[in-house]
Amino acid sequence: MTEKQKDGLWENVKTIFWALIIAGIFRTLFFQPFWIPTGSMKDTLLIGDFLFVNKMAYGYSKYSCPFSSCPISGRILGSEPERGDVVVFRHPTLGTDYVKRLVGLPGDKIQVKSSVLWINGEEAKQVSAGMFSETKLPQGRFRTIPQCINRPVGEGGECLKEKFVETLPGGVSHSILNFANRSVDNTNVFTVPEGHYFFMGDNRDNSIDSRVSPNAGGVGFVPAEYLLGRADRIMFSAAGKRLFYFWTWRSDRFFKEIE
């Protein structure tokens, strides 16, 4: 190898090195990319939505860095999340990143009765918003088949779920889906400990969330240091198994604000 070739190779190595450093800093301090892999937040977030997590929203903890490597105790430079925020957080025991809606703040008393959320004795009122419709086909890389209230539905048929607009105490409104009456539609009263938060998926009958403890396969209360950031806007969305399947792109969801 000539000296000129060696110099060129070294320049390429340095370029790649600094590019990785800059990308790592950007991902750690500002915005982290996140693909939606499951339907637990339908119809707010669909399988195949791509978003950037705003990591400045709640400050930083050791989980803000790749491999949970930030030398931080607790949380720094943070502000308190608000009820109704859509949040990406680290599962307290599995180490997997989840996205759910924040419904319970420290000290809140949370209960679900007959599929209706109650917070500190106040009902989060639900108003019918018709039906959510999607095609019954395998979705995303996990090839998930949606569940339908109008079953039986053949492959390629119209799959329906009841849709409601829920208003949380404080006035934040968002859509939720309901499929059937299940055990998580009626719960005991949960009292959220200090320094912890309570999360639920908008697709209420298809969400692993705080209604079930980690020991029973759920999420339970999430400590503040496990919050990674707030999901504010969908940047891109694809309904197919692969990103380059351009015929599955959902152009109506590009740059869509998350409510």
Side-chain angles (χ1 to χ4, degrees):
M1 181 179 292
T2 66
E3 286 298 323
K4 185 175 182 179
Q5 288 175 323
K6 289 180 180 178
D7 290 342
L9 178 60
W10 176 239
E11 287 299 320
N12 288 335
V13 170
K14 288 194 296 183
T15 299
I16 294 172
F17 172 78
W18 286 112
L20 291 174
I21 292 295
I22 293 170
I25 292 173
F26 183 86
R27 183 185 185 278
T28 299
L29 297 181
F30 302 110
F31 297 98
Q32 176 180 327
F34 189 84
W35 283 100
I36 303 300
T38 72
S40 68
M41 281 295 291
K42 289 179 181 177
D43 67 334
T44 303
L45 298 173
L46 303 181
I47 295 175
D49 283 348
F50 174 79
L51 50 90
F52 281 105
V53 180
N54 181 357
K55 302 188 76 171
M56 298 175 286
Y58 310 133
Y60 308 95
S61 73
K62 71 176 185 178
Y63 300 101
S64 299
C65 292
F67 312 111
S68 304
S69 59
C70 283
I72 299 172
S73 177
R75 179 168 292 277
I76 63 171
L77 303 177
S79 58
E80 292 299 317
E82 297 181 2
R83 194 191 320 279
D85 285 356
V86 176
V87 179
V88 175
F89 59 89
R90 186 69 46 83
H91 189 286
T93 59
L94 298 180
T96 306
D97 293 348
Y98 277 41
V99 58
K100 306 289 179 185
R101 190 175 299 275
L102 173 59
V103 299
L105 302 174
D108 281 348
K109 295 186 181 300
I110 307 294
Q111 187 176 21
V112 180
K113 296 187 290 186
S114 299
S115 301
V116 177
L117 174 65
W118 291 74
I119 302 174
N120 298 324
E122 180 179 349
E123 178 184 0
K125 295 188 180 298
Q126 297 179 7
V127 177
S128 177
M131 291 286 180
F132 170 69
S133 175
E134 59 185 333
T135 303
K136 188 174 182 181
L137 289 172
Q139 299 178 352
R141 61 189 177 93
F142 295 136
R143 314 307 289 155
T144 305
I145 303 294
Q147 296 176 312
C148 316
I149 199 171
N150 58 323
R151 58 189 176 185
V153 178
E155 184 169 315
E158 183 182 28
C159 179
L160 300 177
K161 292 184 182 69
E162 289 185 286
K163 180 177 176 179
F164 301 86
V165 173
E166 178 181 80
T167 301
L168 302 174
V172 174
S173 296
H174 58 277
S175 65
I176 62 171
L177 301 182
N178 188 44
F179 171 73
N181 291 319
R182 297 185 173 176
S183 60
V184 290
D185 290 327
N186 289 279
T187 72
N188 295 323
V189 176
F190 300 96
T191 301
V192 185
E194 286 301 314
H196 292 70
Y197 297 93
F198 192 98
F199 291 92
M200 291 176 64
D202 289 349
N203 191 359
R204 292 290 165 80
D205 294 317
N206 188 26
S207 174
I208 298 172
D209 53 38
S210 294
R211 290 172 289 179
V212 178
S213 72
N215 292 335
V219 172
F221 303 121
V222 178
E225 65 177 340
Y226 285 81
L227 306 187
L228 299 181
R230 187 179 63 224
D232 292 329
R233 190 175 296 273
I234 299 164
M235 304 305 296
F236 180 84
S237 185
K241 186 178 179 180
R242 296 284 186 268
L243 174 63
F244 57 79
Y245 292 175
F246 64 87
W247 56 90
T248 68
W249 292 354
R250 306 181 182 108
S251 58
D252 61 321
R253 298 185 68 79
F254 290 10
F255 309 112
K256 178 181 174 64
E257 185 177 4
I258 297 172
E259 298 179 348

